[in-house]
Amino acid sequence: MAPGHYFWAIFYFACLCSASLANNAKVNFREKEKKILDQILGAGKYDARIRPSGINGTDGPAVVRVNIFVRSISKIDDVTMEYSVQLTFREQWLDERLKFDDIGGRLKYLTLTEANRVWMPDLFFSNEKEGHFHNIIMPNVYIRIFPYGSVLYSIRISLTLACPMNLKLYPLDRQVCSLRMASYGWTTADLVFLWKEGDPVQVVKNLHLPRFTLEKFLTDYCNSKTNTGEYSCLKVDLLFKREFSYYLIQIYIPCCMLVIVSWVSFWLDQGAVPARVSLGVTTLLTMATQTSGINASLPPVSYTKAIDVWTGVCLTFVFGALLEFALVNYASRSADRAADMHRENMKKKRRELEQASLDAASDLLDTDSNATFAMKPLVRHPGDPLALEKLRQCEVHMQAPKRPNCCRSWLAKFPTSPLKKVPCFGRGKCSRSKRIDVISRITFPLVFALFNLVYWSTYLFREEEEE
């Protein structure tokens, strides 16, 4: 070939290369996406009413893999037994009718914002009470179609879900709240839901709840059978632990303080009736108000909760302190009546003795001057009753002293009858009522401490068993 021909051949080849590079540089991939979407979703080419084929193009059920991302949990309500959650919900399945050419790997996926353009699984949340989509600024939803026919559907939703609770250990309880997702119309012969392999449930790292802590979550399957067939179902169980510090500060410590304040009545003088009555009634009404406030924030369940046991026993202690004063007051008045009767008897005997001495003196004045007076013998005979009485007194004083008993000697300081010692008639400091106060000062704290030991050991042990 002549040298001129070589020159023109090289020049023609260079022109072709430059033209092809220019064409590649001017490729508009957005236009390519539009053409591909029109090609695979055009009229008469794709019917969104028909479900995709099964695995490997078989007539088996379409497999949809699900995963969720928990963005926030706003509240867990004990009264209505529900909780609110915001999550990003994702579904992925294979629809071979949506395959397209990726232009040598340059087109990774196609994006849609209209879910009705392709077939969608009829999933619903079976324990949902209320829910809504997010449309600010634009609807938070997208569909991605990959070159090999895989479809990814993602949407952000907020849900209020039912959460049946067992409050027997409240507020030392743990609650399991479920999120259930199932197919509404397609049976397992046409549609099967599976959790995505690897990490099906994700939770935001800085998740904060005011009264609960999310300890862990578990994924499971919950297929249900009805009269119309068997339906595929997925569920995730969220395990929440109630924060006890809030209830310790707001309920348990104030109740303990009210019970201790009611014991101040035992240290007041039994004659201070207005002070003791005011203290007892005030603590009783405060404790009743505290109990009603606690019950107002809980549902009216038919079983007894741990907080009911605590408030009931504390209310009983406060009421018992008020009844103790009533008993002390009754014993004090009984002692006063007995003392008055004793004084009246003493006065009566004294008057009788005075009258007898006056009668004897008058008889002596009326006797004859020749009257003789009987003299007491200087020596007593063995059978004389007076000698026997003196002998018994000597035997009593000569008996060996008994070993003292600490409790009896302490209680002996507060004799039960005011008739044993005359000084008790003054202010009643050693009466039966005083003994009741002293015994109550020891009994009430001991019984309350024993109750605390039994209460905390019982419910903490039951909490560990349930865990």
Side-chain angles (χ1 to χ4, degrees):
M1 181 180 293
H5 293 287
Y6 282 111
F7 173 77
W8 288 110
I10 294 172
F11 179 75
Y12 179 73
F13 180 74
C15 291
L16 289 177
C17 291
S18 61
S20 62
L21 290 174
N23 291 333
N24 289 336
K26 295 180 181 180
V27 172
N28 189 340
F29 290 99
R30 305 291 79 80
E31 291 292 335
K32 289 289 185 182
E33 288 182 13
K34 177 181 179 305
K35 292 180 180 180
I36 294 173
L37 288 174
D38 292 340
Q39 180 181 355
I40 61 177
L41 300 177
K45 295 183 178 180
Y46 183 88
D47 193 345
R49 298 172 297 176
I50 308 301
R51 70 168 180 87
S53 303
I55 299 176
N56 298 324
T58 62
D59 196 30
V63 177
V64 178
R65 299 191 178 275
V66 177
N67 76 305
I68 60 176
F69 175 68
V70 179
R71 293 182 173 271
S72 65
I73 299 176
S74 58
K75 69 173 182 177
I76 301 176
D77 197 338
D78 299 318
V79 178
T80 56
M81 291 193 178
E82 63 185 20
Y83 72 104
S84 299
V85 59
Q86 183 186 129
L87 50 87
T88 298
F89 176 75
R90 305 186 186 99
E91 294 176 310
Q92 192 166 8
W93 66 93
L94 182 64
D95 192 344
E96 296 182 352
R97 296 173 296 175
L98 299 176
K99 289 182 178 180
F100 63 90
D101 183 13
D102 59 354
I103 314 177
R106 296 183 180 181
L107 196 60
K108 295 182 178 180
Y109 53 81
L110 304 175
T111 302
L112 293 178
T113 56
E114 299 176 2
N116 57 357
R117 296 286 302 274
V118 297
W119 176 86
M120 292 290 299
D122 60 343
L123 181 141
F124 77 105
F125 298 93
S126 58
N127 60 333
E128 173 203 353
K129 285 187 174 182
E130 185 180 353
H132 67 272
F133 301 110
H134 293 266
N135 297 319
I136 300 175
I137 298 177
M138 293 293 292
N140 298 165
V141 58
Y142 68 80
I143 297 176
R144 291 177 180 176
I145 304 175
F146 294 89
Y148 50 91
S150 178
V151 181
L152 173 63
Y153 173 72
S154 178
I155 187 171
R156 186 166 73 98
I157 52 179
S158 292
L159 301 170
T160 300
L161 304 167
C163 179
M165 299 181 183
N166 185 357
L167 300 174
K168 289 184 178 180
L169 298 181
Y170 177 90
L172 300 168
D173 57 335
R174 284 179 169 84
Q175 300 298 337
V176 178
C177 294
S178 299
L179 174 64
R180 295 174 176 267
M181 301 162 283
S183 172
Y184 190 81
W186 298 98
T187 63
T188 53
D190 296 312
L191 179 62
V192 173
F193 289 111
L194 297 177
W195 285 112
K196 183 180 179 180
E197 297 177 358
D199 196 5
V201 178
Q202 299 170 324
V203 180
V204 65
K205 292 182 179 180
N206 57 347
L207 180 65
H208 176 70
L209 297 173
R211 291 185 297 166
F212 288 87
T213 300
L214 179 61
E215 288 192 330
K216 59 182 179 180
F217 51 87
L218 302 172
T219 57
D220 200 359
Y221 296 91
C222 54
N223 292 2
S224 60
K225 291 183 179 181
T226 64
N227 293 334
T228 56
E230 181 179 0
Y231 298 90
S232 182
C233 175
L234 302 177
K235 76 171 182 176
V236 53
D237 292 330
L238 305 173
L239 179 59
F240 296 101
K241 179 182 179 182
R242 197 181 300 270
E243 289 290 343
F244 180 69
S245 57
Y246 168 81
Y247 301 93
L248 179 65
I249 297 173
Q250 297 294 328
I251 297 176
Y252 283 89
I253 292 179
C255 289
C256 282
M257 294 174 65
L258 287 174
V259 173
I260 294 172
V261 167
S262 69
W263 297 343
V264 176
S265 166
F266 306 149
W267 298 87
L268 297 179
D269 186 23
Q270 60 187 5
V273 176
R276 297 188 68 164
V277 170
S278 300
L279 182 63
V281 173
T282 302
T283 52
L284 182 62
L285 293 178
T286 307
M287 190 67 216
T289 304
Q290 181 86 351
T291 303
S292 61
I294 295 170
N295 293 331
S297 61
L298 292 174
V301 294
S302 59
Y303 48 82
T304 303
K305 303 179 289 295
I307 194 67
D308 294 335
V309 176
W310 175 264
T311 55
V313 173
C314 290
L315 187 63
T316 303
F317 270 94
V318 175
F319 184 67
L322 184 60
L323 291 184
E324 189 270 349
F325 171 67
L327 181 60
V328 167
N329 187 265
Y330 174 77
S332 178
R333 287 187 286 107
S334 299
D336 292 340
R337 286 195 298 268
D340 293 338
M341 292 178 62
H342 181 70
R343 291 191 187 95
E344 292 295 331
N345 292 333
M346 293 296 292
K347 289 179 181 179
K348 185 177 181 181
K349 289 181 180 179
R350 190 179 300 111
R351 286 195 297 268
E352 291 177 354
L353 290 175
E354 291 176 355
Q355 185 65 32
S357 62
L358 292 174
D359 293 341
S362 62
D363 290 342
L364 289 175
L365 293 175
D366 293 341
T367 54
D368 190 28
S369 60
N370 295 328
T372 58
F373 297 92
M375 301 296 292
K376 294 181 179 180
L378 297 175
V379 180
R380 295 291 180 180
H381 298 286
D384 193 352
L386 184 58
L388 294 175
E389 181 65 23
K390 295 292 184 180
L391 182 61
R392 281 196 295 269
Q393 292 179 2
C394 293
E395 291 177 354
V396 170
H397 288 290
M398 292 173 63
Q399 289 179 355
K402 296 182 179 179
R403 189 174 181 180
N405 190 322
C406 297
C407 295
R408 290 183 179 179
S409 61
W410 179 71
L411 289 176
K413 298 179 182 179
F414 313 99
T416 58
S417 175
L419 303 181
K420 293 183 179 180
K421 292 184 180 180
V422 176
C424 296
F425 296 149
R427 295 175 61 100
K429 291 185 178 179
C430 55
S431 62
R432 181 184 302 173
S433 58
K434 185 64 176 180
R435 174 178 285 190
I436 295 174
D437 271 342
V438 173
I439 294 175
S440 299
R441 295 173 191 174
I442 307 300
T443 305
F444 273 72
L446 285 179
V447 176
F448 190 67
L450 180 62
F451 160 71
N452 274 270
L453 179 63
V454 174
Y455 179 86
W456 295 112
S457 60
T458 300
Y459 282 102
L460 291 177
F461 180 71
R462 289 180 60 182
E463 183 187 10
E464 291 178 358
E465 281 186 346
E466 288 197 356
E467 183 181 1

